[in-house]
Amino acid sequence: MALQEKLRLVSQKEIAPDIFEMVLRGEMVADIKAGQFLHIRVPDPSKLLRRPISVSRVDKVAKAVTIIYRVAGDGTRLLSQMTAGESLDVMGPQGNGFDLSLVSKGQKALVIGGGIGVPPMVEVAKELHENGVAVTAVLGFASKNAVILEKQMAQYGQVIVTTDDGSYGIKGYVSTVIDQFEETYDAVYACGAPGMLAYVDQTFQDHPQAFISLEERMACGMGACYACVVHLKDGTDASNERVCHEGPVFPTGHVVL
């Protein structure tokens, strides 16, 4: 159930050029599931639309949630200038997250993240690891300067990093690595840029337990305005679902990318 609450900003730091990590604390953290997002009001009355930012890590004991976002405009720039002790008007948790109950102890999961799509995969990897699932993570970035969260992910399984320019890790895209895999995985979870998700969607379209998380511009964030619809592959032109409500996580082979 989505709630609205003033969350207190505990800390904030820049972890890569124009990429910020913010920790918030509040009661709604108890309800957050991996893959969901928070809908955050920018502390400026001229910014009418909230910003949807995916959840990266959840600490339910401390009631703290970590979000990681890229400064992409005036709204997120204002967020990046906030300091500890301030508060944010937040709606959440929103959307449907990843179903991690599909795999259990002794099984294997492939976690795929690209760029700013890597943050939500940290909580996925953490919870899978806690449930005894063997995690392999393939993370793709543009260059060495853009690499984030490698050490955090390494706490939960094997991590392979690729960069477009070869300045760190393996040169190429996540597909460069995944296409070489010979073993199979009991579940696949992915979040990243449209091109990467299209690759994952096609590669694992027949996998019974493969999922992608989409990013889309939103308005209300609650499913009422239909500003973030995606079309279904097996439907008519009028068949669609909302990224903010039915998503942001969808099974592979389900939506038109």
Side-chain angles (χ1 to χ4, degrees):
M1 180 180 65
L3 306 171
Q4 185 171 357
E5 183 182 346
K6 290 277 190 179
L7 298 188
R8 185 169 63 87
L9 199 163
V10 177
S11 64
Q12 177 157 239
K13 61 182 178 180
E14 189 172 15
I15 61 174
D18 287 330
I19 304 292
F20 287 80
E21 177 187 89
M22 178 186 288
V23 179
L24 299 166
R25 181 169 290 153
E27 297 299 322
M28 73 167 58
V29 174
D31 296 320
I32 296 175
K33 297 179 180 179
Q36 290 186 301
F37 66 93
L38 303 181
H39 217 202
I40 299 174
R41 182 180 295 282
V42 177
D44 181 336
S46 70
K47 309 299 179 187
L48 301 180
L49 297 180
R50 293 174 180 265
R51 270 50 178 183
I53 301 178
S54 58
V55 169
S56 179
R57 278 167 284 169
V58 181
D59 184 340
K60 294 188 177 182
V61 175
K63 298 180 181 179
V65 57
T66 300
I67 59 173
I68 295 175
Y69 63 95
R70 174 187 288 122
V71 173
D74 292 340
T76 45
R77 189 166 301 281
L78 285 170
L79 291 179
S80 73
Q81 295 168 355
M82 296 183 68
T83 57
E86 296 185 89
S87 62
L88 281 170
D89 184 324
V90 178
M91 292 180 64
Q94 298 194 204
N96 285 309
F98 290 103
D99 187 348
L100 306 182
S101 68
L102 298 174
V103 280
S104 55
K105 185 176 181 179
Q107 292 188 299
K108 297 181 294 184
L110 176 60
V111 173
I112 308 167
I116 202 63
V118 171
M121 307 316 294
V122 176
E123 183 65 21
V124 171
K126 183 190 83 173
E127 294 188 22
L128 289 171
H129 174 73
E130 290 174 347
N131 291 333
V133 177
V135 175
T136 297
V138 182
L139 313 179
F141 303 94
S143 65
K144 182 178 180 179
N145 290 338
V147 175
I148 57 174
L149 302 174
E150 179 186 7
K151 291 182 179 179
Q152 289 85 342
M153 290 289 284
Q155 298 176 73
Y156 311 121
Q158 178 189 13
V159 179
I160 304 169
V161 176
T162 71
T163 52
D164 298 353
D165 61 3
S167 55
Y168 186 81
I170 296 172
K171 183 177 182 179
Y173 307 120
V174 296
S175 59
T176 305
V177 172
I178 295 170
D179 286 346
Q180 302 301 313
F181 283 163
E182 295 182 356
E183 62 183 317
T184 58
Y185 294 88
D186 299 292
V188 179
Y189 303 99
C191 183
M196 190 203 85
L197 292 182
Y199 160 77
V200 174
D201 187 65
Q202 180 178 9
T203 303
F204 298 98
Q205 62 181 334
D206 296 323
H207 195 294
Q209 294 174 174
F211 303 88
I212 56 175
S213 178
L214 306 185
E215 293 185 355
E216 190 66 52
R217 289 185 178 274
M218 298 178 185
C220 75
M222 300 176 65
C225 69
Y226 281 78
C228 61
V229 298
V230 287
H231 296 294
L232 306 185
K233 285 187 176 182
D234 59 355
T236 66
D237 290 342
S239 299
N240 55 59
E241 290 183 344
R242 298 155 292 183
V243 173
C244 71
H245 190 67
E246 286 83 18
V249 175
F250 296 96
T252 53
H254 185 65
V255 301
V256 177
L257 299 178

